Amino acid sequence: MSNVKFLSGENIPLEMHKVRMVQRVNLIPVEERKERMEEAGNNTFLLKNRDVFMDMLTDSGVNAMSQNQYAAMMQADDSYAGSETFYRLESVLQEIFGMKYFLPAHQGRACEHIISRVLVKPGSTAIMNFHFTTTKAHITACGGDIEEIVIKEGYKIKSDAPFKGDIDIDKLKELINKLGRDKISFVRMEAGTNLIGGQPVSMKNMREVSEICRKADIPFVYDASLLSDNLYFIKIRDEDYKDVSIKDIILEIASLTDIIYFSARKLGSARGGGILVNDNSLFLKMRELVPLYEGFLTYGGMSVREMEALAVGLEETLDFDVISQTPLIVEAMCNEFVKKGIPVVTPPGGLGCHADAMEICSHIPKSQYRAGALAAAIYIAGGVRCMERGTLSEQRNADGSERFSEMELARLAVPRRVFTLSHVKYVADRMDWLNQNRQLIGGLEFIEEPKVLRFFFGRLRPVDDWQERLVKQFRKDFGDSL
Ligand code: F0G
């Protein structure tokens, strides 16, 4: 681990930055946390941030920016068309990815909308390592379907596999043979595969997938939202790349793909999104949709200040000390969990620490949303807001039956450069208590269930009075403490 810095003798990562602006946070008493959870329909998305102590819902749009990013915001050129800011961002992207065309969009899902509208025909299938919620929603909204072919290891909670996000190559070949080229909209690879625990994809796998796609003339789409974590893992876990520069790794990735898109709420630590493409006819088709849904071609729904911050943030992604920060904190957190016997996805990925609700809440029927219940319990136990990543995040099947997720995870996301190691220890401490009292956690049932992306604003209630019992036990064990 050449340039990763640790405190001598201990496995504690050293921050290669200092903090010069802070935000006050509150920890309200456990009784109030239970009430706020009830008001929020047991959905952590519906909590108010003022009631949250540690916001680990996501790393999206909440990463700490650098002083150079803030400084760049001040030079933004605010014009509807032809803004200098756009050309600056465009040239940074072209330089980093070596791709010809850039289309701006207001965030990652907007890119998914545009790509799906152009490539997904009704009845077609998009093949991918694993879906992301918004990706799947846009593909199905265009009448398409998805097939997930991540390698078997990807579904295992405990594993030593370094690249659990890889595509199963045999399955890819089989599917192409079975469906035929015309029924396949595209093959999609997600860097730092989100829903299976922020697990990376290997270069070898990318090369193989690319070769197959090129032979079969199928567009290869790369979701680079979590690219920075994936780059770190390529450098750390792949012997062949330990001396290859981050810039060269990105260029190689880009050379293997046809379309790259990203959420700039993650990649580049700003807010926005974009699509990169080499093929002129694809570019022209997608370009038509930008002014219609996003905004004029030189801002695409982004504020010019964010675009300036993004240009700098993307350049900073080439710095190993910047991109290593999150994976190192995630690893430290996972190690704390493992030490305390809390089941968690291993090896640690990027993005956050993923507690295994399938096991922690194995006493709860699957139909009562194990990961959703654990997420509600985590907030009550510690004021920590995490996100359900399991059955609740799935859409029901067309016949209304539940689509049970293979994994039930409570994702404790680690926004970049936001939390300290004492925060990490605090979360591990409350998770430990919860794990020891896991029998007290009960199930949830819907009281309001939206049809699409139900996890965003669906409302649920506990199936019995388990949350009261949890609070009682908390008071017994923690006394007056918050
Ligand atoms: N792709 C991936 C891999 C993502 O993680 C996300 C967002 C998107 C696409 C969509 O981007 O939010 O800018 O529209 N992930 C966030 C999360 C929401 O919390 O994991 P967006």
Side-chain angles (χ1 to χ4, degrees), residues 265-279:
R265 300 176 62 81
K266 296 182 180 240
L267 184 65
S269 292
R271 290 145 207 95
I275 303 172
L276 292 151
V277 59
N278 277 329
D279 182 87

Side-chain angles (χ1 to χ4, degrees), residues 58 107-109 112 132 190 194 223 225 263 266 411:
T58 177
Q107 61 184 94
R109 69 201 68 185
E112 291 169 339
F132 183 68
E190 185 181 304
N194 190 326
D223 179 345
S225 305
S263 167
K266 296 182 180 240
R411 180 186 83 178

Side-chain angles (χ1 to χ4, degrees), residues 24 87 108 120 132 184 244 306 312 358 457:
R24 181 83 170 81
Y87 298 113
V120 176
F132 183 68
I184 298 169
V244 181
E306 294 293 347
V312 174
M358 196 75 95
F457 32 80

Side-chain angles (χ1 to χ4, degrees), residues 45 57-60 106-112 131-135 188 190-195 223-226 261-266 272-273 351 387 389 411 413 455-456:
F45 276 97
L57 184 73
T58 177
D59 63 335
S60 170
H106 77 273
Q107 61 184 94
R109 69 201 68 185
C111 306
E112 291 169 339
H131 79 282
F132 183 68
T133 52
T134 54
T135 325
R188 171 180 172 275
E190 185 181 304
T193 325
N194 190 326
L195 295 190
D223 179 345
S225 305
L226 290 166
Y261 76 91
F262 59 93
S263 167
R265 300 176 62 81
K266 296 182 180 240
L351 179 59
M387 190 188 290
R389 295 278 77 154
R411 180 186 83 178
F455 60 93
F456 277 136

Side-chain angles (χ1 to χ4, degrees), residues 348-386:
L351 179 59
C353 194
H354 296 74
D356 179 16
M358 196 75 95
E359 189 178 331
I360 298 173
C361 297
S362 57
H363 56 285
I364 300 176
K366 272 190 189 171
S367 57
Q368 293 178 7
Y369 309 115
R370 290 177 184 177
L374 181 59
I378 290 173
Y379 173 71
I380 295 172
V384 178
R385 160 152 76 167
C386 67

